[in-house]
Amino acid sequence: MNDIQNEFISTVSHELRTPLTSIRGFSQTLLNSWEKLDEESKKKFVKIIEEQSNRLINLVENILTVSKINADKPLIREVNVNTAIDKVIQMIKQKYSSHKITTHFNKHLPPAKLDEDKFQQVMTNLIDNACKYSKPDKEIKVSTSFSSSEKILIQVVDQGIGMSEEDSKKIFDKFIRLENHLTSTTQGNGLGLYITKNLVELMGGEISVKSSPNAGSEFSLEFPFFNQEEALKCSQQS
Ligand SMILES: Nc1ncnc2c1ncn2[C@@H]1O[C@H](COP(=O)(O)OP(=O)(O)OP(=O)(O)O)[C@@H](O)[C@H]1O
Ligand SMILES: [Mg+2]
């Protein structure tokens, strides 16, 4: 086994142990002190068990995705990005019902050259982060347009907690979570953006971020069109 695999296994073991220890601890307390605990404490402990189980499920799903990234060949076809993004937003709204997510689509965009499932996973990770790391009363904007290099440009802009330039260089690495009040009070394993960057590059795209502390973040994606020549004509007309 090489050093990278060793490091991965030791980080994963640590990430698994933390929620498991907490689930075991709170279940034992409930079982051993059931009669002594009041209703409120019991509810609180069961809630922690539920949260930690969700964290484990999320972690296992993300680790499976990481292990499959290079094994799974992308299913590249014509994808209408506006329609695909709309579907993702409908799903995210069920989880973050009070966040205002607005779309600013160029309706004349020709189809992109993408794997639709992987693209939806990318958009889910970015919009989920935008909601998670901003207050519910702050708007999140998702836009599509022609980029300056005649590709599709997709941007997810939030008005959340933001980050320093130095931190913005680290966030695409595995298991990175920045230290701030929102990362300590929300769930996550720091794998979302690592998966996102890998999927984007697998589909021939690029991802970048601009952000500053307390001033929100702007994530940009660029992907090629399915038919680059036709798209060029469209961009000149629109
Ligand atoms: N829109 C954003 N605004 C501010 N910070 C962000 C934003 N997106 C990501 N971050 C920071 O980058 C870190 C890494 O993001 P990433 O999506 O990889 O992990 P996560 O959201 O913590 O967990 P998960 O694996 O569930 O996605 C986050 O923990 C957070 O500190
Ligand atoms: Mg995330």
Side-chain angles (χ1 to χ4, degrees), residues 148-201:
S148 54
S149 52
E150 306 296 345
K151 290 185 179 170
I152 290 191
L153 173 67
I154 300 157
Q155 290 184 305
V156 179
V157 182
D158 67 56
Q159 302 173 41
I161 192 159
M163 67 194 91
S164 66
E165 199 184 332
E166 198 190 336
D167 281 342
S168 70
K169 291 185 187 127
K170 300 185 208 154
I171 55 173
F172 296 104
D173 291 343
K174 282 191 207 93
F175 296 115
I176 295 290
R177 299 201 81 205
L178 304 175
E179 273 175 36
N180 54 52
H181 71 275
L182 280 181
T183 28
S184 55
T185 52
T186 56
Q187 283 185 25
N189 312 113
L191 280 176
L193 285 178
Y194 171 77
I195 293 171
T196 300
K197 187 175 163 71
N198 275 276
L199 292 178
V200 167
E201 290 174 357

Side-chain angles (χ1 to χ4, degrees), residues 102-119:
T102 60
T103 52
H104 308 263
F105 291 159
N106 180 326
K107 300 210 167 55
H108 309 289
L109 281 179
K113 197 175 176 183
L114 292 168
D115 175 317
E116 180 150 7
D117 286 345
K118 292 188 168 38
F119 175 66

Side-chain angles (χ1 to χ4, degrees), residues 125-126 128-129 132-133 187-193:
N125 285 337
L126 293 179
D128 183 88
N129 280 348
K132 193 154 74 164
Y133 303 117
Q187 283 185 25
N189 312 113
L191 280 176
L193 285 178

